[in-house]
Amino acid sequence: MTVRVRFAPFLFPALLLLASFSSPLAAQNPTAPAVFGYADFTAQSKVEEKFLAVPDASLAGQHLKFLTAEPHLAATPEDRKTAEYVAQKFRTAGLETEIVPYRVLLNQPQEVRVEAYDDHGKLLMSGPAREHVSNDPYQDDPRVVMSFNGSSGSGDVTAEVVYANYGRLEDFDQLVAQHIDIRGKIVLARYGANFRGVKVYIAEQRGALGVLLYSDPQDDGYDKGQAYPQGPWRPETAVQRGSVQYLFKFPGDPETPGVASTLDLPDSARIPAEKSPSQPRIIAIPISSHDAMPILRALKGVSVPQGWQGALPFRYHIGQLAGQGSVRVHLLSRQDYQRRIIWDVIGKAKGAEYPDQWVIAGNHRDAWVYGAVDPSSGTAAMLESVHGIGVLLHQGWRPKRTLLFCSWDAEEEGLIGSTEWVEGHAKALEQAVAYFNMDVAVSGPDFSAAATPSLKQFLRELTRSVPSPLGESVYRQWGANHPAGEDRHASNVPPAAEEIHVGDLGSGSDFTPFFQHVGVPSTDIGSGGPYGVYHSVFDNYAWYTQNADPHFLYLQQMARVFGLEALRMADADVLPLDYAAYSRAISSYIEAAKRKAADQGVNLDFSSAQTAAARFIAAADRVYSLQAAPSGDLLRLNLALRQVESALLSDDGLPNRTWYRHTIYAPGEFTGYAVQVLPGVNEALDAQDRTRAAQQLAVLAQALDRATRTLDFAQ
Ligand SMILES: [Zn+2]
């Protein structure tokens, strides 16, 4: 489901391209531990070398071809077929493998219709039009699901249309400022800027009857560049499907928050869908720019504010609510809601020394249609990571910690397969040391990553060991696109000169249950490029080989990075979790929240949180020096290092959305994908609720004190 920030096509300095890839080992300083977490990296470097030699570009391409041969929406026979393919590859590699089913509520569309009329009752459009371009070999398969939104309501409504730009909170507030009341109306909003479920959530809260979501050419279509099949951008008939579940309330099966939807879970343990806080009550339908154009063109009334104009070739207007210039739209949505069976695939290599400490690597497998980029590039890469681990296993190597590779189902509908599995393994996951995610693994050559702060340095370090198809290391290519300095605002200390930006984890993919519900340190990686066909029929093998990665070299690169994350974490002497950086990031968040409160004129005492953060920094620095020169009781040190993330959870969860238990990170209630730091405190400030803000500051200080005590236990 992930949407990644896209960067401009990158320009490598010619010198970088000429320089040859040098072994990471050559750069090691012999007097310091060469790799954080290892007392002596010599043996491990041999294991890693063997591993890195295995992932194969053409085999990855074969996986991709198989996985994208048919549309494989969650819970369909074709989805089951991909599960069996993945399970077979896991078994061949020597992983103990099982296909784990869950029974979860999913909608599939029976009928979706949109018709628009002008103020004389003249038909302006009738759709949705079929997604179509000239010469795409995949578009005509009868199994391509019609355009729809996961978790949309069913219904039949007719009302005037109001254009609401991106459907952000500030956009809806702008309508209020223009005296436009959306109660009883249909909102037309463009994709982009926030998670689509947030657009529907605000529209529903403000009384709209339905939402039409469309793709404006300005955001991912011809305004960006050549549209498919001439180029990578969205053609005018292409539709972005997607879930509008309120996943910022909780992800997973809408009927079982906090509980795994196993096949034997009785109905009495499920909450009725119509009462589920994660389900919209109104209709949402996604349409193409082709279908949105006649509606937008006919809208009259107030001209749009600056920033609301898209790239269609006329001036946009917000819409008249009655009489001349009003546009009425008829929406019909018949959704077949049923409890359906989905299939996760879990492959395990048992740890030789610490079998209870799990290192988990996962990627979802289900797609809205073919999903070449999202998510099959991730699955193809993961299968080559597993291939590499398999070669090591067949040579008699065993990981120190237990390795788990996971192929999640029904991610697109709301992170369902991963969430149900996490909810069913919450106890065991208290000992899991890390979760590594991939989703949209390859849409181009631009590596990027997001992570728990404790794992940012780990990612920077290990990408030095992986060659890039462009020469040198992934780290160097990454650095060429993400110059240092972007992290500086989040730290009280100047970062090392070579520090590359690693983002924070918000939501939109399967790391969410691991990180924000049960507190497992997590990362999310991908390699991006111009990608305009997200969630459309055109995210297929033909688009991929034409635009993203014709020789599958980036699948190979991602297989190496992903597998190396798992391998290096599984074998580390001391867990390479960096709390010196993490504690400083938290301290900077507290300072920022304090400034925000001051700007609002709110009188709040931040001193206990600030003091707690300072103590956390001091403890983290002490432990960091133990990690840098590991000796003595490593079991105790490792136990403590792992428990710090758990210490940052609050038992009560966030106010109004208790499934989210992390006190430092949550998806923003009004952004959805983007992260909200110190969510309890900042959301209380946003709601101008001083009492709640004070209470949440106390919760934060307690969490930081728990984290400090946990680190002190290590010494
Ligand atoms: Zn995805």
Side-chain angles (χ1 to χ4, degrees):
M1 176 192 293
T2 304
V3 173
R4 276 181 182 282
V5 177
R6 284 182 283 271
F7 295 87
F10 57 107
L11 304 163
F12 279 111
L15 275 177
L16 224 86
L17 290 168
L18 291 173
S20 63
F21 171 70
S22 65
S23 161
L25 299 176
Q28 281 176 16
N29 175 351
T31 61
V35 169
F36 192 52
Y38 283 82
D40 180 347
F41 195 63
T42 317
Q44 181 68 12
S45 77
K46 295 210 173 70
V47 173
E48 293 192 358
E49 227 168 88
K50 275 189 207 164
F51 165 76
L52 288 171
V54 180
D56 184 273
S58 75
L59 287 177
Q62 286 174 29
H63 301 316
L64 186 73
K65 184 139 205 196
F66 180 90
L67 293 162
T68 58
E70 300 170 311
H72 53 290
L73 189 67
T76 61
E78 294 80 10
D79 173 36
R80 172 76 200 193
K81 222 188 272 184
T82 60
E84 278 159 9
Y85 181 82
V86 167
Q88 185 241 319
K89 298 294 172 198
F90 281 9
R91 287 191 189 108
T92 305
L95 302 181
E96 258 174 67
T97 301
E98 57 174 337
I99 295 182
V100 182
Y102 293 100
R103 180 181 286 118
V104 302
L105 187 74
L106 294 176
N107 63 312
Q108 288 179 1
Q110 288 175 315
E111 190 178 3
V112 173
R113 293 207 58 77
V114 180
E115 284 130 18
Y117 302 89
D118 73 6
D119 53 357
H120 302 293
K122 187 181 139 211
L123 184 69
L124 297 168
M125 60 76 68
S126 170
R130 198 166 62 88
E131 294 180 287
H132 201 267
V133 295
S134 56
N135 294 324
D136 176 80
Y138 291 90
Q139 62 194 352
D140 294 323
D141 190 298
R143 292 167 295 185
V144 173
V145 73
M146 70 180 83
S147 307
F148 80 112
N149 285 124
S151 287
S152 165
S154 286
D156 185 336
V157 296
T158 303
E160 288 91 6
V161 184
V162 176
Y163 173 61
N165 195 29
Y166 289 112
R168 297 169 299 186
L169 199 54
E170 58 265 41
D171 295 328
F172 283 102
D173 287 345
Q174 178 73 36
L175 291 176
V176 173
Q178 306 259 9
H179 306 291
I180 293 179
D181 185 353
I182 63 166
R183 269 178 298 178
K185 304 294 183 281
I186 289 165
V187 168
L188 175 64
R190 55 169 157 165
Y191 275 123
N194 60 7
F195 168 57
R196 65 184 85 70
V198 169
K199 304 172 200 280
V200 177
Y201 178 60
I202 306 172
E204 180 185 305
Q205 282 185 327
R206 300 197 176 190
L209 293 180
V211 179
L212 275 174
L213 298 164
Y214 84 101
S215 300
D216 198 286
Q218 189 177 67
D219 299 299
D220 62 8
Y222 58 69
D223 199 48
K224 289 279 194 187
Q226 287 285 351
Y228 182 70
Q230 283 74 39
W233 296 103
R234 187 176 296 272
E236 46 181 72
T237 59
V239 177
Q240 181 189 136
R241 293 162 187 77
S243 173
V244 293
Q245 179 174 326
Y246 298 160
L247 61 80
F248 40 88
K249 297 285 187 191
F250 65 87
D253 181 4
E255 298 185 315
T256 64
V259 176
S261 301
T262 51
L263 301 192
D264 57 2
L265 184 75
D267 290 356
S268 58
R270 300 170 191 254
I271 56 169
E274 59 276 14
K275 293 207 175 120
S276 172
S278 78
Q279 292 297 93
R281 310 281 171 252
I282 61 175
I283 299 172
I285 297 176
I287 57 173
S288 63
S289 63
H290 170 89
D291 281 341
M293 185 149 86
I295 303 175
L296 271 164
R297 194 201 295 275
L299 284 179
K300 294 293 180 290
V302 189
S303 178
V304 292
Q306 205 56 37
W308 287 38
Q309 175 71 35
L312 293 171
F314 45 79
R315 185 68 196 172
Y316 293 15
H317 296 80
I318 287 174
Q320 274 308 9
L321 294 190
Q324 206 188 6
S326 67
V327 177
R328 290 174 75 77
V329 166
H330 171 223
L331 303 184
L332 173 67
S333 165
R334 285 204 299 127
Q335 301 296 327
D336 177 22
Y337 273 90
Q338 283 188 35
R339 293 190 188 125
R340 297 181 154 91
I341 310 287
I342 61 167
W343 307 277
D344 291 344
V345 185
I346 311 290
K348 187 198 296 190
K350 199 166 176 196
E353 288 182 36
Y354 314 111
D356 295 337
Q357 296 182 12
W358 293 356
V359 174
I360 305 158
N363 150 264
H364 78 92
R365 193 187 64 251
D366 65 298
W368 285 115
V369 192
Y370 299 97
V373 170
D374 180 8
S376 305
S377 63
T379 310
M382 178 167 77
L383 289 178
E384 279 308 289
S385 308
V386 167
H387 180 198
I389 297 293
V391 167
L392 298 181
L393 290 171
H394 289 309
Q395 292 175 358
W397 169 86
R398 288 290 173 274
K400 280 188 186 169
R401 298 181 177 80
T402 293
L403 273 178
L404 291 172
F405 285 93
C406 308
S407 170
W408 309 120
D409 205 350
E411 187 270 358
E412 292 295 3
E413 283 82 353
L415 324 179
I416 295 178
S418 58
T419 299
E420 298 314 309
W421 189 85
V422 165
E423 289 171 344
H425 295 81
K427 189 74 198 147
L429 289 168
E430 287 173 7
Q431 306 219 38
V433 297
Y435 173 69
F436 301 121
N437 193 62
M438 264 195 308
D439 186 336
V440 176
V442 179
S443 61
D446 180 11
F447 185 85
S448 69
T452 312
S454 56
L455 285 171
K456 291 184 177 184
Q457 203 56 35
F458 173 76
L459 272 175
R460 294 185 188 109
E461 190 173 39
L462 81 79
T463 50
R464 291 168 189 268
S465 299
V466 181
S468 154
L470 291 167
E472 297 225 343
S473 65
V474 172
Y475 178 80
R476 288 294 295 272
Q477 300 299 345
W478 182 15
N481 290 314
H482 300 245
E486 292 176 66
D487 266 346
R488 241 164 252 192
H489 68 279
S491 178
N492 291 334
V493 290
E498 76 277 18
E499 198 157 278
I500 296 174
H501 177 70
V502 181
D504 292 321
L505 294 167
S507 188
S509 196
D510 295 306
F511 54 80
T512 281
F514 287 93
F515 179 41
Q516 292 152 346
H517 187 56
V518 297
V520 179
S522 300
T523 71
D524 186 35
I525 57 172
S527 183
Y531 172 46
V533 295
Y534 174 65
H535 289 184
S536 77
V537 73
F538 305 115
D539 184 357
N540 60 37
Y541 189 81
W543 182 96
Y544 186 91
T545 48
Q546 180 190 312
N547 295 291
D549 185 21
H551 306 295
F552 314 111
L553 295 173
Y554 287 90
L555 291 182
Q556 179 186 41
Q557 169 189 298
M558 296 311 289
R560 287 169 165 163
V561 176
F562 191 64
L564 201 61
E565 286 187 281
L567 188 52
R568 192 170 283 182
M569 183 61 72
D571 281 349
D573 299 314
V574 176
L575 293 175
L577 298 170
D578 172 6
Y579 291 108
Y582 201 162
S583 56
R584 284 174 173 81
I586 294 171
S587 175
S588 75
Y589 301 154
I590 295 171
E591 297 310 317
K594 189 180 172 187
R595 284 194 298 276
K596 178 158 130 185
D599 289 349
Q600 292 180 354
V602 178
N603 181 24
L604 261 183
D605 182 6
F606 280 77
S607 59
S608 61
Q610 286 172 303
T611 313
R615 283 195 296 262
F616 185 27
I617 290 173
D621 285 351
R622 285 193 298 274
V623 168
Y624 191 91
S625 54
L626 296 179
Q627 288 171 279
S631 68
D633 186 358
L634 297 183
L635 197 64
R636 187 181 166 93
L637 177 58
N638 281 329
L639 188 65
L641 286 166
R642 164 58 186 94
Q643 292 314 316
V644 176
E645 199 71 50
S646 305
L648 295 172
L649 301 178
S650 105
D651 286 344
D652 294 338
L654 295 177
N656 309 322
R657 42 184 187 142
T658 56
W659 187 92
Y660 284 99
R661 300 196 298 152
H662 207 287
T663 57
I664 313 298
Y665 296 101
E669 187 171 13
F670 293 109
T671 57
Y673 290 131
V675 67
Q676 173 68 272
V677 301
L678 311 185
V681 177
N682 278 311
E683 287 178 358
L685 287 173
D686 292 342
Q688 317 219 315
D689 185 339
R690 191 197 160 279
T691 311
R692 192 194 347 152
Q695 182 255 332
Q696 288 296 309
L697 268 173
V699 170
L700 173 64
Q702 286 161 15
L704 295 175
D705 283 341
R706 278 195 304 274
T708 303
R709 281 198 302 275
T710 306
L711 284 175
D712 286 343
F713 171 80
Q715 299 168 60

